[in-house]
Amino acid sequence: VLEQVFAPTSLDEALGLMSVAGTRPLAGGTDLVVSERVGRRPFPKALVNLAGLDELRGIDQADDALAVGAMCSYEELLRRERVAGDFSALSDAAAMVGSPATRHSGTLGGNLANGSPAMDSGSPLLVLGARVELASQRGRRVLDVDQFLIGPGETALGPDELLVSVTLPHLPRRGSAYIRLEYRRAMEIAVVGAAAAVVLGPDGRVADLAIALTAVAPRCVRVDGLGALACGQAPSAALIDVCAERSLAAVRAIDDVRASASYRRAMVPVIVRRALRRALDRAPTGTSATIWQTEGAAGDPAPAA
Ligand SMILES: Cc1cc2nc3c(=O)[nH]c(=O)nc-3n(C[C@H](O)[C@H](O)[C@H](O)COP(=O)(O)OP(=O)(O)OC[C@H]3O[C@@H](n4cnc5c(N)ncnc54)[C@H](O)[C@@H]3O)c2cc1C
């Protein structure tokens, strides 16, 4: 039974409260309150409201990286042109979450810490090479998002730890995109999601390529081996098809209320192809955009910009 809500005004104070057994952080509350209401996870004895912590707020835009405070809302992410331009996959995800009210209250840190396999920020952060900073009274540590996400509702966060920030490296000539298969436009959870990021060299050939999948495994997962496979190749419809088929290796889909495992499996290559094509369209060298006109791509119209 919830007995107390603390309102610390500094990170040190919050970490002191987190070191007491039976406390849990409260960010926007959009997962935490729903989980309690549907009986999935009862409230703890005490909540630590993170709203007053300046250390967890804001977006720091250095030339070589973007550092996003854990308490940053989707609404704040969407207001930054730099996020839409250099980290488009994350911006795509932020624009999809829930409704305007959810995007205003829900935070990036809360999305990650909740650990849902259907979370919309997970795959974009995986392909963009994001790292998270965690803090407790024992000290600080930095993890790749890949190490942070463990399973449904499970992350690397210890009971006394807070997620402080998420840092995304900036890479020139990178395009990225996140596509979600959904049954309606708003207030929906991913049936299947795919994020893609492509870095092109000055010659227009692929220097790096990453794909991650949402809602088809116990956690958001990166597909292994695609960077090595694509490196040095010119973007082509054939390369996109190979990456889409290879993505199936990462799928561990289950049947649930939203879709059967076999439907999810069938949709993975379709959604991956769309995400990869959009990422290529956004990669700044401009050489790739022509491949849709010259080659087309297996049975799928070119995506809208
Ligand atoms: C109507 C509705 C629509 C939604 N639509 C989507 C959607 O389209 N896509 C999607 O991905 N999600 C969706 N969600 C889920 C939710 O809005 C997001 O996951 C949101 O980002 C959660 O953030 P929050 O700040 O509300 O977290 P909270 O609910 O406050 O916290 C979630 C969990 O994370 C922990 N936590 C929060 N912050 C930290 C921190 N800094 N350090 C450590 N632990 C922390 C909390 O203790 C709790 O266990 C939806 C929810 C609702 C109610």
Side-chain angles (χ1 to χ4, degrees), residues 90-114:
L90 181 59
S91 182
D92 291 342
M96 285 172 196
V97 171
S99 64
T102 329
R103 292 192 284 277
H104 194 80
S105 312
T107 63
L108 185 63
N111 197 230
L112 279 170
N114 195 51

Side-chain angles (χ1 to χ4, degrees), residues 48-94:
V48 179
N49 187 353
L50 308 181
L53 306 186
D54 288 343
E55 295 96 325
L56 269 57
R57 294 203 170 273
I59 301 180
D60 184 44
Q61 308 186 57
D63 282 348
D64 60 347
L66 186 80
V68 183
M71 285 295 285
C72 186
S73 70
Y74 301 101
E75 200 53 52
E76 286 171 80
L77 283 170
L78 290 170
R79 266 189 262 125
R80 300 297 178 109
E81 275 177 35
R82 173 96 191 276
V83 179
D86 293 340
F87 306 94
S88 323
L90 181 59
S91 182
D92 291 342

Side-chain angles (χ1 to χ4, degrees), residues 148-228:
F148 178 80
L149 300 175
I150 293 178
E154 205 189 338
T155 68
L157 274 167
D160 58 344
E161 274 182 314
L162 287 178
L163 176 50
V164 175
S165 64
V166 181
T167 300
L168 301 96
H170 169 65
L171 301 181
R173 293 189 299 275
R174 177 167 67 181
S176 68
Y178 175 64
I179 302 268
R180 183 172 91 173
L181 172 65
E182 57 207 351
Y183 298 134
R184 58 181 186 190
R185 247 328 15 188
M187 301 291 274
E188 179 61 310
I189 303 287
V191 179
V192 171
V198 191
V199 181
L200 295 181
D203 57 357
R205 288 178 178 271
V206 175
D208 199 8
L209 186 152
I211 287 170
L213 306 175
T214 306
V216 295
R219 39 157 286 195
C220 294
V221 277
R222 194 156 42 197
V223 181
D224 286 336
L226 295 185

Side-chain angles (χ1 to χ4, degrees), residues 2 4-8 14 18 23-34 43-44 46-53 56-57 70-71 105 107 109-110 113 161-162:
L2 181 63
Q4 212 164 358
V5 179
F6 294 103
M18 287 298 300
T23 54
R24 204 179 330 144
L26 166 69
T30 61
D31 272 321
L32 192 135
V33 175
V34 172
F43 282 145
L47 286 170
V48 179
N49 187 353
L50 308 181
L53 306 186
L56 269 57
R57 294 203 170 273
M71 285 295 285
S105 312
T107 63
E161 274 182 314
L162 287 178

Side-chain angles (χ1 to χ4, degrees), residues 229-245:
L229 178 140
C231 186
Q233 295 202 40
S236 68
L239 176 63
I240 291 168
D241 286 342
V242 169
C243 292
E245 290 307 319

Side-chain angles (χ1 to χ4, degrees), residues 8 12 16 19 22 42 46 65 73 145 188 195 203 223 234 238 241 252 269 278 287 299 303:
D12 280 349
S19 70
S73 70
V145 170
E188 179 61 310
D203 57 357
V223 181
D241 286 342
R252 304 276 179 275
R278 188 165 293 179
T287 52

